Amino acid sequence: MKTLYSKFVVTTILIMVGSLCIGFLLTNTYYHQVIKEQNDAKNVRIAKDITEYIEKAAPSDLDSYLMTLGEIGYQIYVTTGTDEQFYGGEYRDKALSKSVVQHVLDGEIYHGMRDFPKETFVTGFFANELINTIGVPFVYKDQQYALFIRPDIRLLFSEVHTILGGLFLVMAIISLLLMLLFAKALIRPITQLTEATHQLALERFDVPLEIDRADEIGQLANSFNVMTKKLQENDVIRKEFIGNVSHDFQSPLLNIQGYVDLLKSPQLSEQERQEYTRIIELETKRLSTLTKQLLLLTSLDQSTRLLKREPYRLDEQLKDTVRKYRWQLEETNVQLSYQLVPVTFNGDANLLQNVWDNLLTNAIKYNVEGGEIRIHLQEQLSYVEVQIEDSGIGITEDQLLKVFDRFYRADESRTKQGTGLGLAIVKKIAELHDGEVQLKSTIGLGTTVVIQLPKL
């Protein structure tokens, strides 16, 4: 498997090689289109200056003069058509057609640099061939000569050029090494992230990911740590959820099984039989309620669930809820009063019915003998507010922090016939309506629940 680091290294090298090739081709094109003709014209001027000096000054020792020119950086070929002489650096290829020589002897200029075949830059500029020269005619002591000249490329590269070439090479090597080190440093946190992801797949949520960076990779690492923490919390909640569900199903089932076994005894009195039957019925209802609430929570947890919003009378729904539980109020001797303004609310009536059912049954269940329940409904500019207040036993501040957790019960002995899911359902439904739930309570004085639902 190719690693990201190897891909980065190969890509970097390919980019450098590709850039070098593209730069070489562009430079070659620029040389042929611009520099080549300019170089030809410049060398023509130099050659003409040399021949003009020879014709005007008529140096006594032409060989010495031309030899001096060769030593200062030129490759020179002089011929009369029959005699020839070379000065300066050696030509690699001395082939030159007689027609070219005769052309120059006849007084014409030979543009060998300009007309040299359009090959690569190295061949075109550095080609050490006699045909890659400038040819001009001159007359010395009544003899017609042809002078062919080109700069000696080897002598043109001075110490400065060598230093610059070495500098370029060192820069290229150091840049490549630094790029490789940078790539290694860049890939290292990604490798750590990959390993941490493998550990996460094995449900090992306590593996630390220590990446202290301020760039995008650092942000990714921080997001990964946050995700790991959330997954760890969800894992704990999931395990607690499974444990609570198992317990809440097992307890009533064991009770039902136990009392069914007792009902089989022929020595039971009618009163005992009636009592055991009543307990079995209560446990069956408890299981039914628990199953319904679990199904409801599962449905609410689905992110794709859409609210079926439609306008309806919220005050009438609350009145119907009160009438539904009138028998429980009378049975527990709890007084209920309400103050409900007419409100038409755009929401999911079926879901919100679960909210009022849970809150009202809680207010009745955890109230005191002869206690009170007060319900208020009022409409504000941007939201409606429902407040349910009871004079019950209340809960502590520590318990207030956990009441919306699933399966949490303030009554740790679990003597109440609750499931610990009611307030979790209330909070979830309120949030689906973009609302919020506030709960205040004082031990011995009662509890107040406030639900605010924004109007659409």
Side-chain angles (χ1 to χ4, degrees):
M1 179 182 67
K2 291 185 178 180
T3 63
L4 188 60
Y5 179 71
S6 64
K7 290 182 179 179
F8 185 88
V9 171
V10 172
T11 302
T12 301
I13 295 175
L14 289 177
I15 289 175
M16 293 182 68
V17 173
S19 300
L20 181 63
C21 293
I22 293 173
F24 182 83
L25 292 175
L26 291 176
T27 305
N28 180 56
T29 301
Y30 181 73
Y31 166 74
H32 284 295
Q33 298 297 326
V34 179
I35 301 299
K36 191 174 184 180
E37 188 168 349
Q38 293 179 354
N39 187 46
D40 180 271
K42 179 183 69 175
N43 283 280
V44 167
R45 288 195 299 271
I46 293 173
K48 284 185 176 181
D49 289 341
I50 293 172
T51 56
E52 287 178 3
Y53 173 78
I54 293 174
E55 290 179 343
K56 291 180 180 179
S60 59
D61 192 347
L62 181 60
D63 283 342
S64 298
Y65 174 68
L66 293 176
M67 189 178 298
T68 302
L69 291 177
E71 290 175 354
I72 64 176
Y74 288 96
Q75 294 173 270
I76 301 174
Y77 170 64
V78 177
T79 180
T80 61
T82 55
D83 297 328
E84 60 182 20
Q85 186 65 41
F86 289 92
Y87 303 93
E90 285 286 333
Y91 284 99
R92 181 183 61 82
D93 186 353
K94 298 180 180 180
L96 186 66
S97 66
K98 293 181 178 180
S99 61
V100 171
V101 173
Q102 189 60 47
H103 181 74
V104 175
L105 290 173
D106 291 341
E108 301 296 332
I109 297 176
Y110 171 63
H111 296 276
M113 292 183 178
R114 184 192 66 188
D115 300 333
F116 194 78
K118 290 187 177 181
E119 298 181 7
T120 59
F121 174 75
V122 175
T123 303
F125 184 77
F126 296 97
N128 187 16
E129 301 177 28
L130 190 54
I131 60 172
N132 190 23
T133 58
I134 294 297
V136 293
F138 73 93
V139 178
Y140 178 72
K141 294 182 179 181
D142 298 327
Q143 177 65 46
Q144 187 74 24
Y145 288 86
L147 172 70
F148 296 88
I149 188 171
R150 65 171 277 106
D152 192 345
I153 301 299
R154 292 172 300 176
L155 297 180
L156 291 180
F157 281 91
S158 63
E159 288 81 1
V160 175
H161 294 94
T162 304
I163 292 173
L164 291 176
L167 177 63
F168 175 79
L169 181 62
V170 171
M171 286 178 59
I173 294 174
I174 293 177
S175 298
L176 179 60
L177 291 177
L178 290 179
M179 282 291 292
L180 296 179
L181 291 175
F182 175 74
K184 191 70 175 178
L186 188 67
I187 300 302
R188 187 179 298 113
I190 299 178
T191 304
Q192 292 176 314
L193 276 169
T194 303
E195 178 59 28
T197 304
H198 291 159
Q199 297 299 322
L200 202 62
L202 299 175
E203 296 188 359
R204 296 174 183 171
F205 303 105
D206 56 346
V207 178
L209 183 62
E210 299 177 358
I211 299 177
D212 187 16
R213 299 170 65 117
D215 54 12
E216 290 82 357
I217 293 180
Q219 296 174 6
L220 177 61
N222 291 333
S223 299
F224 183 87
N225 286 329
V226 172
M227 180 190 71
T228 301
K229 185 177 180 181
K230 290 291 184 183
L231 288 174
Q232 188 173 16
E233 293 174 355
N234 290 339
D235 185 62
V236 173
I237 293 173
R238 177 178 61 85
K239 291 177 180 177
E240 290 179 352
F241 180 84
I242 293 173
N244 287 326
V245 169
S246 300
H247 179 277
D248 279 27
F249 270 96
Q250 187 178 25
S251 295
L253 287 173
L254 289 175
N255 286 337
I256 292 173
Q257 183 179 356
Y259 283 105
V260 167
D261 291 338
L262 289 175
L263 285 174
K264 294 177 182 178
S265 175
Q267 288 83 22
L268 284 179
S269 64
E270 184 62 27
Q271 183 179 358
E272 289 175 326
R273 191 179 302 277
Q274 290 294 331
E275 178 65 18
Y276 295 164
T277 304
R278 187 182 68 82
I279 293 174
I280 291 174
E281 182 181 7
L282 288 175
E283 295 294 346
T284 304
K285 289 181 179 179
R286 180 181 172 187
L287 280 175
S288 176
T289 301
L290 178 60
T291 303
K292 290 178 181 178
Q293 290 187 332
L294 283 172
L295 290 174
L296 178 58
L297 265 179
T298 302
S299 174
L300 295 176
D301 285 338
Q302 298 299 319
S303 59
T304 56
R305 188 189 197 286
L306 299 177
L307 294 180
K308 297 178 181 178
R309 288 183 179 270
E310 53 186 22
Y312 76 100
R313 287 287 296 274
L314 181 57
D315 57 308
E316 293 295 336
Q317 186 182 46
L318 289 171
K319 290 177 184 179
D320 291 339
T321 305
V322 170
R323 284 192 288 268
K324 186 195 306 184
Y325 294 99
R326 177 66 65 183
W327 65 274
Q328 287 191 21
L329 292 168
E330 294 177 356
E331 187 178 77
T332 55
N333 194 24
V334 173
Q335 302 298 317
L336 186 145
S337 62
Y338 55 74
Q339 184 177 356
L340 310 174
V341 299
V343 172
T344 299
F345 181 70
N346 186 27
D348 193 320
N350 291 329
L351 286 183
L352 287 172
Q353 183 62 59
N354 288 281
V355 173
W356 318 134
D357 287 339
N358 278 293
L359 293 180
L360 187 54
T361 53
N362 279 348
I364 296 172
K365 186 188 306 179
Y366 297 105
N367 218 314
V368 295
E369 181 71 20
E372 295 183 10
I373 297 175
R374 292 176 291 276
I375 303 177
H376 298 275
L377 170 63
Q378 53 185 344
E379 184 175 14
Q380 302 296 338
L381 184 62
S382 60
Y383 64 90
V384 296
E385 180 178 284
V386 179
Q387 178 176 306
I388 300 178
E389 181 182 0
D390 66 62
S391 59
I393 58 177
I395 55 177
T396 66
E397 291 185 4
D398 291 338
Q399 292 169 337
L400 274 175
L401 300 175
K402 302 178 182 178
V403 291
F404 293 111
D405 295 343
R406 298 179 184 188
F407 292 102
Y408 176 77
R409 294 175 189 158
D411 181 8
E412 296 181 359
S413 64
R414 294 177 178 259
T415 56
K416 295 290 182 181
Q417 296 300 313
T419 62
L421 297 174
L423 288 179
I425 292 174
V426 169
K427 186 170 188 274
K428 188 67 177 180
I429 294 175
E431 290 175 346
L432 287 174
H433 284 82
D434 298 320
E436 60 179 18
V437 182
Q438 300 174 0
L439 196 147
K440 297 177 288 185
S441 185
T442 305
I443 292 293
L445 296 180
T447 301
T448 301
V449 182
V450 178
I451 306 235
Q452 291 182 348
L453 302 173
K455 295 190 296 186
L456 298 179

